[in-house]
């Protein structure tokens, strides 16, 4: 490892971020600066461009724009309201009933759309006013919405798990999708426990128990939306289509569903497509520049050096995993999930593989960990969306957020040290 190149890579990246340069540009420019130290300008520019193009030349990545478009169609297609009505019939009568409704609806919508921001926006838009009207504190409702929206990052189909598959060098997308179910549900349950305790202490109202026919009616109304999960994941696991083909099926299904629900019309499609294209462009630029940084780190043997350093600190897997989790929690505060996964997977994956950890298990740990960063300033996109939708401020949301953060961290530690939670389902289906 050459200290000068590493110093330039880290310092230039941090300085560019500090002066407000967008993260994708910061990654690409810092990679270029590092290459210019050791090779002439023309080969350096060519290498960065080549690495970006090669990084994007993947059939699996084609799933990302399709899932993004599917998420946009769901966000406009009336799916959120139907999921909320179904969730309310299930848990509305529990202490903190509407908070539980928010969590379950966000888990379902986040899983179907694959987007935490979409879940926070769609579910928060419906639930915020309803919770406030029934006596819930606005900041508490926002905190519940913000944290629960991130569960969709782990519960499939999830774009970030596809990105991890690319960064890890080929971890099975189907195995990652299956592995995300139990950790995602566990996180949701922990959030529900905290929300229930908080609601009981604050004396928030409890709804009436739903009759069986009301549950059945709400379920049938939400069934077409829920079927998307079975079609996409079932098709992948059964080998009917790949994750990329499943994403195209999801778009077609959401399009038909939206028109069937009569929630949008043909004239709405240009706006939906434009929003999906702009989001896809941002994600793909991040992936391309991150792949160039990953290449320069491999060229400088940084992952190998970090592996040796961490293993020299302790030979205990418990200690090493705790250190990695602490580093990722810190990284998640300042960096969005996509570049964090692309940059730090090549660094930490060799460390955990040296200890015998399955790459699928580590992928779930990393995504679950970095999901917490989506709820923290200064770059927590879900935090800002949730606060904006609720019409409150970050300062007011911090207090109710803290116990929910603790619940997410406890879930993360359990998933980290109990591999069976992540690996049992993939094992059942032969992955």
């Amino acid at each position: 490892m050459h200290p000068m190149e590493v110093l330039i890579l880290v310092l230039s990246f941090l300085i560019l971020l500090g002066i407000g340069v967008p993260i994708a540009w910061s990654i690409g420019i810092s990679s270029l600066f590092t290459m210019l130290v050791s090779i002439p300008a023309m080969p350096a520019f060519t290498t960065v461009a080549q690495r970006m193009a090669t990084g994007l030349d993947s059939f699996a990545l084609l799933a990302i724009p399709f899932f993004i478009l599917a998420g946009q169609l769901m966000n406009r297609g009336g799916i959120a309201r139907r999921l909320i009505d179904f969730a309310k019939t299930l848990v509305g009568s529990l202490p903190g009933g509407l908070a539980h409704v928010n969590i379950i609806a966000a888990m379902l919508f986040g899983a179907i759309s694959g987007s935490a921001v979409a879940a926070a926006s769609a579910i928060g838009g419906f639930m915020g006013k309803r919770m406030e009207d029934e006596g819930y504190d606005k900041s508490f409702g926002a905190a519940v919405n913000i944290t629960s929206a991130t569960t969709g990052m782990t519960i499939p189909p999830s774009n970030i798990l596809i990105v991890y598959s690319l960064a890890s060098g080929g971890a099975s997308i189907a195995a990652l999708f299956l592995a995300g179910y139990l950790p995602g549900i566990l996180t949701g349950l922990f959030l529900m426990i905290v929300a229930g305790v908080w609601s009981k202490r604050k004396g928030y109202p409890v709804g009436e128990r739903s009759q069986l026919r009301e549950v059945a009616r709400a379920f049938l109304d939400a069934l077409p939306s829920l079927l998307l999960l079975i079609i996409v994941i079932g098709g992948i696991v059964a080998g009917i289509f790949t994750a990329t083909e499943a994403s195209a099926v999801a778009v077609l299904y959401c399009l038909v569903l939206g028109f069937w629900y009569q929630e949008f019309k043909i004239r709405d499609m240009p706006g939906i497509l434009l929003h999906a294209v702009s989001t896809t462009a941002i994600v793909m630029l991040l992936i391309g520049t991150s792949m160039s940084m990953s290449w320069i780190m491999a060229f400088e043997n940084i992952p190998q050096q970090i592996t040796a350093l961490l293993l020299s600190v302790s030979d205990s897997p418990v200690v090493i995993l705790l250190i990695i989790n602490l580093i990722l929690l810190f990284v998640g505060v300042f960096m969005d999930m996509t570049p964090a996964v692309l940059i730090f997977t090549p660094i930490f994956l060799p460390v955990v593989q040296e200890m015998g950890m399955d790459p699928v298990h580590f992928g779930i740990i990393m995504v679950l960990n970095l999901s917490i960063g989506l709820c923290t300033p200064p770059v927590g996109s879900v935090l800002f969306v949730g606060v904006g939708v609720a019409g409150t401020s970050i300062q007011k949301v911090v207090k109710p957020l803290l116990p929910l953060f603790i619940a997410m961290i406890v879930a993360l530690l359990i998933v980290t040290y109990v591999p069976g939670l992540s690996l049992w389902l993939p094992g059942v289906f032969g992955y």
Side-chain angles (χ1 to χ4, degrees), residues 123-145:
I123 304 300
F126 280 101
M127 289 301 301
K129 187 69 168 61
R130 189 178 298 186
M131 291 181 73
E132 194 177 351
D133 288 344
E134 294 200 18
Y136 288 79
D137 184 70
K138 184 186 291 187
S139 59
F140 172 69
V144 169
N145 182 47

Side-chain angles (χ1 to χ4, degrees), residues 58 88 111 278 288 397 409 421:
S58 169
K88 188 172 183 180
S278 63
V397 169
I409 291 171
L421 281 170

Side-chain angles (χ1 to χ4, degrees), residues 236-260:
I236 294 172
V237 172
I240 299 173
F241 36 63
T242 65
T244 304
E245 292 162 347
S247 64
V249 171
V251 169
L252 181 61
Y253 185 85
C254 292
L255 193 61
V256 172
L257 199 61
F259 284 118
W260 185 46

Side-chain angles (χ1 to χ4, degrees), residues 244-327:
T244 304
E245 292 162 347
S247 64
V249 171
V251 169
L252 181 61
Y253 185 85
C254 292
L255 193 61
V256 172
L257 199 61
F259 284 118
W260 185 46
Y261 283 155
Q262 297 182 345
E263 296 285 349
F264 55 72
K265 297 178 172 56
I266 291 291
R267 65 172 177 269
D268 299 320
M269 289 306 299
I272 294 172
L273 290 170
L274 184 61
H275 199 289
V277 167
S278 63
T279 304
T280 299
I282 294 168
V283 173
M284 289 303 181
L285 182 60
L286 276 170
I287 292 173
T289 54
S290 296
M291 293 306 290
S292 68
M293 180 176 277
S294 297
W295 184 87
I296 193 66
M297 287 193 298
F299 182 75
E300 298 295 344
N301 292 322
I302 293 174
Q304 293 85 341
Q305 295 294 326
I306 292 177
T307 300
L309 177 64
L310 284 175
L311 294 176
S312 69
V313 171
S314 173
D315 58 359
S316 169
V318 173
V319 175
I320 298 297
L321 287 172
L322 183 60
I323 293 171
I324 290 174
N325 269 320
L326 289 172
I327 292 171

